[in-house]
Amino acid sequence: RRKGLSENINLPNSLLSRFDLMFLILDVADQDNDIALARHVTSVHKNSGATREESTSKKAASQVGDLDEEDEASPVQPDVVREYISRARQHNPSVPTTVAPYIVEAYVSLRQQDTEGPKDGSNSDQTVMTARQLLSILRLAQALARLRFSDFVATEDVDEAIRLTHMSKASLNDSTSGQARNGNATEDVTSRIFGIIRDYNNSVRGADAVEYKACEAMVLRKGYTVEQLNSCLEE
């Protein structure tokens, strides 16, 4: 945990910087998570013994409505996934002229956050926002557009790409078991989101209220989730 990312993976930073997303996953003992994982593993092995005839009969029964909704739930078939991926690859999304300024503004804002961030050296070479990170955001936004079978990148795709990048950077900066050990973690997130909304409201002169869509876009661009925004608004 005390070593840097390049030391743990044993790869130079020049190669690590070519990955769009990297997440630090620690195997930390947690009773609730361990129980959930153990139940999932045993359930998979328990159900793997079902014969093909049983699966066929269940499928036929579900078509005539003999099974309830819980039994009807089944995983997506591999051929469906392959067809979905094949169709998504047929699209080559581009960035419209209306979205390009939004990406530039987001990138400049992220660079400014790194400049105004902590000076304790917590930002590593993999977490500093660079031009290569901008290319990663563009690739992720295009991939998200492909998932929608779209030929154009939307602002929502850019926001989600930035959120994923933030989550990746946050996991790399967290050298312990995350912020779960910190009792003030939730309060800090709420305070930061409130500060974002407050600063935006102060920048808009004469505004008595802030639209929810504007708050959602700003929060997502900062790397937070919609659930965290709603939690902040409730408090």
Side-chain angles (χ1 to χ4, degrees), residues 19-226:
F19 292 93
D20 292 338
L21 295 174
M22 292 180 292
F23 290 92
L24 176 64
I25 302 177
L26 298 177
D27 186 11
V28 181
D30 182 272
Q31 184 175 1
D32 295 334
N33 293 335
D34 293 341
I35 292 175
L37 177 61
R39 287 177 176 173
H40 171 72
V41 173
T42 54
S43 175
V44 169
H45 283 271
K46 179 181 65 176
N47 297 329
S48 63
T51 62
R52 181 173 298 181
E53 291 76 9
E54 291 175 347
S55 301
T56 304
S57 62
K58 287 184 178 180
K59 182 177 180 180
S62 62
Q63 293 177 351
V64 297
D66 291 340
L67 296 179
D68 55 357
E69 295 181 358
E70 183 178 356
D71 293 331
E72 288 179 0
S74 60
V76 180
Q77 297 300 317
D79 55 343
V80 177
V81 177
R82 284 193 292 267
E83 178 66 20
Y84 182 88
I85 295 175
S86 176
R87 293 189 181 185
R89 286 179 172 176
Q90 297 176 5
H91 297 270
N92 187 22
S94 59
V95 179
T97 55
T98 56
V99 180
Y102 184 80
I103 298 176
V104 173
E105 180 184 353
Y107 173 69
V108 174
S109 176
L110 294 172
R111 288 277 295 179
Q112 189 66 24
Q113 290 181 38
D114 281 346
T115 303
E116 298 174 354
K119 307 299 182 180
D120 55 358
S122 59
N123 285 345
S124 63
D125 295 336
Q126 293 80 32
T127 59
V128 176
M129 181 58 62
T130 61
R132 182 164 285 179
Q133 287 281 342
L134 174 60
L135 294 175
S136 298
I137 292 174
L138 289 174
R139 284 192 293 267
L140 291 171
Q142 289 177 319
L144 291 167
R146 287 191 182 95
L147 292 178
R148 300 184 291 103
F149 298 155
S150 175
D151 292 325
F152 300 98
V153 174
T155 55
E156 293 79 6
D157 300 324
V158 179
D159 290 334
E160 179 63 14
I162 293 175
R163 188 191 70 83
L164 292 173
T165 303
H166 270 294
M167 294 298 99
S168 174
K169 293 171 61 176
S171 70
L172 298 179
N173 280 329
D174 190 6
S175 60
T176 60
S177 60
Q179 293 184 344
R181 297 176 180 265
N182 186 358
N184 297 326
T186 304
E187 181 180 356
D188 294 340
V189 171
T190 302
S191 301
R192 288 194 293 268
I193 295 177
F194 177 77
I196 294 172
I197 301 175
R198 180 192 57 200
D199 294 340
Y200 175 78
N201 185 53
N202 293 337
S203 63
V204 181
R205 298 181 179 179
D208 296 332
V210 180
E211 294 184 0
Y212 179 82
K213 285 294 183 182
C215 295
E216 182 179 357
M218 288 185 298
V219 168
L220 290 176
R221 285 173 53 185
K222 299 294 184 180
Y224 302 103
T225 63
V226 178

Side-chain angles (χ1 to χ4, degrees), residues 190 193-194 197 212 226-235:
T190 302
I193 295 177
F194 177 77
I197 301 175
Y212 179 82
V226 178
E227 290 76 11
Q228 291 172 332
L229 170 62
N230 294 334
S231 177
C232 176
L233 295 177
E234 290 176 0
E235 293 188 12

